[in-house]
Amino acid sequence: MKARVHVMLKNGVLDPQGEAVRHALGSLGFDGVEGVRQGKVIELDLADGTTEDTVRDMCEKLLANTVIESYTVELA
């Protein structure tokens, strides 16, 4: 089984990497971009029988800093 975890900074948390991307896009002539939020994707190959609750526990303990980040889990 595979799981994909999307981790993003929570709204209200400054995103300097996203701001750098927005600025770079403007420098390249892409003037319509008003904001960028950057995140990460973590792909996990899991043993059969691993539950979504187990993946969420992984996120809470290691994969996301839940003070400043939110996450979503997709199982395939």
Side-chain angles (χ1 to χ4, degrees):
M1 175 172 53
K2 291 189 180 281
R4 183 173 287 160
V5 179
H6 297 267
V7 181
M8 296 290 294
L9 288 171
K10 291 181 178 179
N11 289 334
V13 176
L14 295 178
D15 186 352
Q17 290 179 314
E19 185 59 22
V21 170
R22 187 195 63 76
H23 180 71
L25 289 169
S27 296
L28 293 170
F30 298 102
D31 298 325
V33 179
E34 295 180 352
V36 175
R37 301 291 288 175
Q38 186 166 327
K40 59 187 171 187
V41 176
I42 302 165
E43 292 188 353
L44 304 167
D45 291 322
L46 303 168
D48 288 339
T50 303
T51 66
E52 184 172 344
D53 286 341
T54 299
V55 176
R56 289 189 181 286
D57 196 32
M58 291 176 191
C59 292
E60 295 288 328
K61 292 181 178 176
L62 176 67
L63 302 179
N65 177 349
T66 56
V67 173
I68 62 170
E69 295 174 322
S70 59
Y71 64 88
T72 58
V73 175
E74 296 175 21
L75 298 178

